[in-house]
Amino acid sequence: MDTRTLVQQRVHEYYWRDDANCATTTLKILSEKVGIELCDQVLASALGMHGAGGYRAQCGLVEGALMFLGIAGSARGFAEEEIVDACQDFARGFEDRFGSLSCQILRPEGFHPDNPPHICEPLTCQAILFSAEFVVGF
């Protein structure tokens, strides 16, 4: 299965079947793509990372990818400085591509009960494709 199809299918499953947030969805898809298993503690740590629990701070699409860069870099034996540098490069590239790292800008309507469900699904697919390409090249 090509990466685009995999991402679209998994995002839809994780959002609609599991009601997972964007950070958890990002972590799960990147782990599948790269073949690194995630422990339950990592997934638990991502529970409130959808804009800092809906506060609209840093986007969970960014946070999930940054967490995964640390996991993947460590698994590959990279030095801490290399991982930190990769995180900075990723953040810069994400901001260039999507215009911000902030959920407040990426999701300007915020988190309201009257929002359509999973309003960020298209953005999530685009962001995870960007993140997967970055991680594979890391």
Side-chain angles (χ1 to χ4, degrees), residues 7-136:
V7 167
Q8 289 172 337
Q9 287 181 354
R10 294 299 188 268
V11 167
H12 192 77
E13 289 172 16
Y14 292 140
Y15 276 10
W16 292 93
R17 183 191 69 205
D18 301 342
D19 201 27
N21 70 26
C22 51
T24 301
T25 297
T26 299
L27 283 163
K28 286 182 168 188
I29 294 170
L30 293 177
S31 74
E32 181 177 353
K33 177 72 179 156
V34 177
I36 295 175
E37 191 171 333
L38 300 174
C39 70
D40 291 339
Q41 286 178 315
V42 169
L43 295 173
S45 73
L47 288 175
M49 288 192 183
H50 55 293
Y55 184 70
R56 297 178 20 178
Q58 184 164 285
C59 179
L61 296 168
V62 175
E63 292 174 325
L66 291 173
M67 285 178 65
F68 193 78
L69 284 170
I71 293 165
S74 178
R76 294 172 179 168
F78 292 172
E80 286 183 16
E81 185 176 310
E82 291 174 288
I83 295 169
V84 170
D85 288 346
C87 287
Q88 187 176 96
D89 290 344
F90 174 82
R92 186 177 298 108
F94 190 97
E95 189 172 44
D96 287 347
R97 168 69 172 82
F98 297 100
S100 181
L101 304 177
S102 172
C103 188
Q104 188 167 11
I105 293 169
L106 296 170
R107 184 185 171 121
E109 65 282 327
F111 292 85
H112 301 287
D114 58 334
N115 289 140
H118 309 298
I119 197 168
C120 288
E121 187 170 354
L123 174 62
T124 301
C125 290
Q126 293 172 27
I128 293 175
L129 285 166
F130 173 84
S131 299
E133 184 176 319
F134 189 93
V135 168
V136 168

